[in-house]
Amino acid sequence: MASGFLPGTSRQSGMSHQPAWLLAVVLLAASAMGARLAWLQLAQGPENRLRADQNRIRLVPRHPVRGRLLDRHGEVLATSRLTYNLYLQPRLVSQDRWPALRDRLSALLGLPSERLEQNYRQGLQGDAGYRIELADSLSSVQVLRFREQASALDGAEVDVDYLRSYPGGRLAAHVLGYTSGITEEEYDRLGDKGYRVQDRIGRTGLERVYESHLRGEWGGQQLEVNAAGQVQRVLGDKQARAGKDLRLTLDLELQRTAEKALDGVAKGAIVAMDPRTGAIRAMASRPSFDPNIFSTGPTTAQWNELNRPQAPMLNRAMRAFPPASTFKLISAIAGLESGRYGPGSTIPTSNSFCYDGQCYADHGSYGSIGFPMALAVSSNSFFYRLGLKVGSEELFKAARRLGYGSLTGIELSDEESPGLLGDKAWKKKVLGEPWTSVDTITSSIGQGAVAVTPLQMARLYAAVANGGWLVTPHLVEQDAPRTWIGLKPTTIKVLRQGLREVVTNGTATTLNDPRLPAVAGKTGTAEDPPRPDHAWFGGYAPAGNPDLVIIAFGENSGGYGGTVAVPMVKALLATWFRPAQAAS
């Protein structure tokens, strides 16, 4: 009591404020924690739950069924076939036990031990090792042997899978493309997009372009694992989602005819297209290849065949070659559209045409003739004189107007050549030489530094057939754009008359067949020294109301357009118009 402090004094009273201060701090901290928890749960909850599920759930994968490629009538061009693969579940096989199991599988199934080891190591690194594909496409004998010994092969299993299959073999191979196994580099780049080690991917053709549409989504058995990656329980099955089918513009019967028509040449191409829309009805290239070999991997012999000098994997329908006399259609357009010539104009022709001290041969002298007859007899001297009068600028202007020198817009643009229009600027830049009259003369008949693809040529002849629209070629059903190029009606009329006379009394009379509708077109024979000549034909039918353009090309065939390319076209016309004949 000596201290003088009594109950209720100021010291006692000061200590009573301490709990209130502490309580305020606690409440503030609790509020902050609550707000943080609410934010994590409400705002970030779905994302965090997804991450947690991804960390604890693993998928023992199963391939999706790839979408089919169908022709315009629904006929199957590419599908998937059932096969059997060998798998390993490494959680059931220790690394110490793996070598013995590997060697036993190798001996039992006749599989290279090195291949099994490589796939084992790759699988461990890529998909967390919950199911590894050791071998694909097992034979029925291999499957039977495995099942007989399955009880002694714990951790290994044989399960069904799907491989890409092309029922027609080489049929339309350049259009369809092929699929093959994904590489390690591709997996590093595409793993985040759902691809897996030993996945398959479209490599060329429509398989590549429409990969995301066709591939589908993986499914499989879902496993719950702990922090150490050990399986705790099976959660269920996730169904694989099949890829979507793709309906093409190709006509299977016409495509078969095109492939067969090319049997007469070692190298060549055919394009058949609807001139009104740009829908490709057939596209064939020779030599060809069987895309089925990539589904299981080509043998050494098959790989050597693919890499021979003839380049069987090259789609010649979209590669550029000298167009020869088919280019005279461009020259005629230049003459008529420039105003230098009218639809009734005539030009002298002769067996030999001399200019600037050089003479150029022609195969006949027809006097002064007009455009229709000049196209019908394919007079060189007519177009020599025309080219010199209109000038090279007008020639190449007309060519570009009709789509030459640029890509066509087809889905396979990565595999397409833009061709070549070697004008004055090109010659100066590339060759370092000035333009001469010789260049103009040779260009006017398609023999200069000019190269076009069969597909580009199909657009040209389609523009004449449809009255002046430049269509966009396409292989998948769609409303593709087309461009009005504004040719004079009189120009269209003269061109159509000339192309019809080529068939009725010119260089393609083989097509003047009463069993066929009226055909119009132009032949061409392109020099390619020291190699044999190229052979061309471009045309359409029926001449009065065209619904099919056909371009046929024989690379270094050594024959004329009328003898090599025209018979190919005739075969396709007979197939395409057969239903109409049967109905009549």
Side-chain angles (χ1 to χ4, degrees):
M1 300 296 294
S3 65
F5 288 102
L6 298 173
T9 64
S10 59
R11 181 175 180 181
Q12 182 82 20
S13 183
M15 291 178 64
S16 68
H17 291 292
Q18 225 170 7
W21 176 79
L22 289 172
L23 179 61
V25 172
V26 170
L27 289 173
L28 184 61
S31 297
M33 291 176 63
R36 173 65 176 172
L37 287 171
W39 182 81
L40 288 171
Q41 194 164 20
L42 297 176
Q44 297 291 306
E47 182 179 344
N48 289 330
R49 281 193 296 273
L50 178 60
R51 288 177 179 172
D53 284 344
Q54 289 174 339
N55 288 334
R56 71 182 181 87
I57 297 175
R58 295 292 184 268
L59 188 70
V60 177
R62 287 191 176 89
H63 279 109
V65 180
R66 195 171 178 88
R68 299 175 301 169
L69 296 174
L70 309 172
D71 91 329
R72 69 195 202 99
H73 299 299
E75 297 290 334
V76 176
L77 300 172
T79 185
S80 297
R81 64 177 175 85
L82 195 66
T83 185
Y84 290 91
N85 293 352
L86 175 65
Y87 297 96
L88 180 77
Q89 298 187 46
R91 69 183 188 277
L92 303 178
V93 181
S94 67
Q95 293 196 18
D96 291 339
R97 180 173 163 253
W98 160 246
L101 178 59
R102 175 200 62 205
D103 293 342
R104 184 162 189 174
L105 290 170
S106 175
L108 177 67
L109 304 179
L111 299 171
S113 178
E114 298 80 6
R115 174 184 165 195
L116 296 177
E117 181 66 27
Q118 179 183 1
N119 290 341
Y120 172 74
R121 296 294 176 189
Q122 186 181 34
L124 284 178
Q125 296 171 2
D127 281 330
Y130 289 91
R131 194 191 201 208
I132 298 173
E133 182 182 306
L134 295 176
D136 59 16
S137 303
L138 298 183
S139 68
S140 57
V141 173
Q142 288 172 315
V143 173
L144 181 60
R145 286 177 179 172
F146 179 89
R147 289 177 174 170
E148 288 174 344
Q149 301 291 325
S151 60
L153 301 170
D154 189 38
E157 62 178 347
V158 168
D159 199 0
V160 296
D161 191 13
Y162 300 93
L163 279 183
R164 201 56 165 167
S165 175
Y166 304 89
R170 298 172 183 266
L171 183 81
H174 298 90
V175 172
L176 304 180
Y178 69 91
T179 66
S180 67
I182 195 171
T183 65
E184 291 185 26
E185 293 77 13
E186 288 170 329
Y187 174 75
D188 292 339
R189 179 167 46 87
L190 299 173
D192 292 340
K193 297 182 179 180
Y195 286 86
R196 295 182 174 274
V197 169
Q198 297 167 329
D199 206 339
R200 302 178 187 99
I201 191 170
R203 294 293 178 192
T204 63
L206 295 176
E207 293 279 23
R208 179 189 60 80
V209 174
Y210 290 94
E211 166 69 14
S212 60
H213 181 95
L214 295 166
R215 71 178 304 265
E217 184 178 318
W218 283 75
Q221 190 179 55
Q222 292 178 311
L223 306 176
E224 183 178 3
V225 299
N226 60 19
Q230 298 169 329
V231 177
Q232 302 300 295
R233 61 180 174 139
V234 176
L235 297 177
D237 281 331
K238 175 187 176 184
Q239 293 297 318
R241 181 174 59 82
K244 299 175 184 177
D245 291 348
L246 199 62
R247 188 177 289 267
L248 310 186
T249 60
L250 294 182
D251 183 280
L252 179 57
E253 187 176 7
L254 193 66
Q255 182 71 32
R256 285 186 178 130
T257 302
E259 304 278 357
K260 185 173 178 56
L262 285 169
D263 285 347
V265 296
K267 295 181 291 184
I270 291 176
V271 174
M273 183 177 76
D274 188 327
R276 301 162 297 184
T277 65
I280 301 296
R281 299 306 182 200
M283 179 182 283
S285 180
R286 183 63 53 87
S288 188
F289 66 98
D290 186 351
N292 287 299
I293 66 176
F294 291 100
S295 297
T296 56
T299 64
T300 300
Q302 289 169 333
W303 187 251
N304 291 338
E305 171 70 14
L306 294 173
N307 287 280
R308 61 192 174 100
Q310 288 80 1
M313 296 188 70
L314 185 69
N315 187 353
R316 286 171 164 80
M318 299 194 299
R319 308 308 296 178
F321 303 91
S325 291
T326 61
F327 193 82
K328 290 172 181 174
L329 199 59
I330 293 288
S331 298
I333 292 171
L336 293 166
E337 291 291 301
S338 67
R340 298 292 181 88
Y341 294 96
S345 296
T346 60
I347 298 176
T349 63
S350 53
N351 288 319
S352 179
F353 173 74
C354 298
Y355 190 86
D356 273 355
Q358 293 197 52
C359 293
Y360 307 86
D362 199 351
H363 48 72
S365 178
Y366 309 96
S368 288
I369 60 176
F371 281 89
M373 185 173 178
L375 289 170
V377 299
S378 199
S379 171
N380 288 339
S381 57
F382 179 99
F383 288 100
Y384 292 153
R385 290 182 169 90
L386 180 150
L388 287 169
K389 184 171 182 178
V390 302
S392 63
E393 290 85 356
E394 288 293 336
L395 290 177
F396 289 110
K397 176 183 175 182
R400 292 188 179 91
R401 189 176 177 184
L402 273 297
Y404 281 9
S406 60
L407 300 179
T408 64
I410 196 169
E411 298 95 326
L412 308 181
S413 58
D414 287 351
E415 302 172 30
E416 182 184 13
S417 167
L420 174 64
L421 291 178
D423 58 9
K424 288 181 179 179
W426 175 89
K427 188 177 182 185
K428 183 68 175 177
K429 179 180 178 179
V430 176
L431 303 181
E433 299 175 356
W435 191 263
T436 69
S437 59
V438 174
D439 298 311
T440 302
I441 289 170
T442 55
S443 295
S444 67
I445 62 167
Q447 284 290 170
V450 177
V452 304
T453 71
L455 188 60
Q456 288 174 326
M457 192 177 293
R459 294 180 87 196
L460 165 64
Y461 283 83
V464 177
N466 65 31
W469 291 93
L470 194 62
V471 297
T472 301
H474 55 280
L475 291 157
V476 174
E477 293 288 0
Q478 59 183 286
D479 291 326
R482 61 180 194 167
T483 303
W484 174 248
I485 55 177
L487 296 179
K488 300 173 186 176
T490 53
T491 298
I492 294 290
K493 182 178 179 181
V494 168
L495 296 176
R496 286 177 172 174
Q497 181 183 347
L499 295 179
R500 178 63 183 141
E501 289 188 16
V502 169
V503 176
T504 56
N505 56 10
T507 58
T509 53
T510 302
L511 295 175
N512 196 28
D513 189 323
R515 294 169 295 180
L516 298 175
V519 183
K522 181 75 185 76
T523 58
T525 304
E527 297 176 357
D528 188 28
R531 294 171 291 272
D533 294 344
H534 303 308
W536 288 94
F537 181 85
Y540 54 83
N545 186 25
D547 66 7
L548 192 68
V549 162
I550 303 176
I551 307 298
F553 170 68
E555 180 184 349
N556 299 129
S557 64
Y560 297 105
T563 58
V564 174
V566 164
M568 299 186 205
V569 173
K570 188 173 185 179
L572 269 72
L573 291 172
T575 294
W576 184 253
F577 292 103
R578 186 181 301 151
Q581 292 173 355
S584 61

